[in-house]
Amino acid sequence: MPLNKIIKAELEAVAVKPEGYPEANMPEIALAGRSNVGKSSFLNALMNRRNLARTSSKPGKTRTINFYNINDELRMVDLPGYGYAAAAKSEMEAWAKYINTYLETREKLVAVFQLVDIRHEPSALDLDMYEYILHTGLSSIIIATKADKISRGQYQKHIKIIRDKLGANHDIIPFSSTKKDGLDEIRQIIESIIASS
């Protein structure tokens, strides 16, 4: 079913450890990104819902792994944001452990969408995450969020900065949750992932 015809979109499970994960019975795409990069806004735009994923202007809102069931044929899995400066070091280490466990052990995980802010050069943590995703052998898609904050004529310049910093040799998709830029392209990618899973 095309993602622009979403009949069902719901938060199915909230977990930090594998025993809390839902049954691995459909393909999963994980969302990774720094705190406040716009993962919740991305999910809401993708699923054509306003408040399915709770958004916040305060970084560090997502502190669990949140599993969203879409049409009973795909899960989008929102991972805790990394690089939240106000979190205690022990808390950040715990989040990293939760993220790594999920990425390394989840058998139905087919791709990771890494969200980066189009306005800024990726951080060292963004680079670490990108290299980690590649190391796991998972398919990696980079989504450059908050594209409405810069002019369209600036897209390529900012995309080049992101590509050069990460050493990425594939497409980087500019995305805006308010203007819905990039949404159709992302939905097509997801549909092809579902079809090939």
Side-chain angles (χ1 to χ4, degrees), residues 42-156:
F42 171 81
L43 273 169
N44 287 332
L46 180 70
M47 295 185 277
N48 205 18
R49 301 287 193 274
R50 248 186 209 169
N51 298 305
L52 187 64
R54 283 177 300 173
T55 60
S56 173
S57 57
K58 244 176 123 178
K61 184 81 176 167
T62 305
R63 298 181 178 214
T64 50
I65 301 174
N66 297 339
F67 295 80
Y68 295 90
N69 179 335
I70 305 180
N71 290 344
D72 288 328
E73 62 180 8
L74 170 74
R75 281 195 194 95
M76 297 297 296
V77 182
D78 189 11
L79 302 175
Y82 51 82
Y84 177 38
K89 189 167 186 285
S90 59
E91 194 175 13
M92 288 175 70
E93 286 170 354
W95 293 350
K97 190 175 170 192
Y98 300 151
I99 293 169
N100 293 358
T101 299
Y102 171 77
L103 292 176
E104 289 173 6
T105 64
R106 192 63 169 165
E107 58 270 32
K108 283 287 190 175
L109 176 61
V110 291
V112 180
F113 286 5
Q114 183 176 6
L115 277 59
V116 297
D117 190 324
I118 197 168
R119 300 169 296 175
H120 308 300
E121 180 180 274
S123 68
L125 284 170
D126 288 322
L127 179 57
D128 286 348
M129 176 55 80
Y130 180 67
E131 289 178 342
Y132 180 77
I133 294 165
L134 294 185
H135 171 72
T136 63
L138 291 162
S139 187
S140 168
I141 312 292
I142 299 171
I143 296 168
T145 62
K146 309 194 182 188
D148 52 289
K149 307 286 189 191
I150 64 171
S151 70
R152 211 173 263 272
Q154 294 283 302
Y155 279 11
Q156 287 315 308

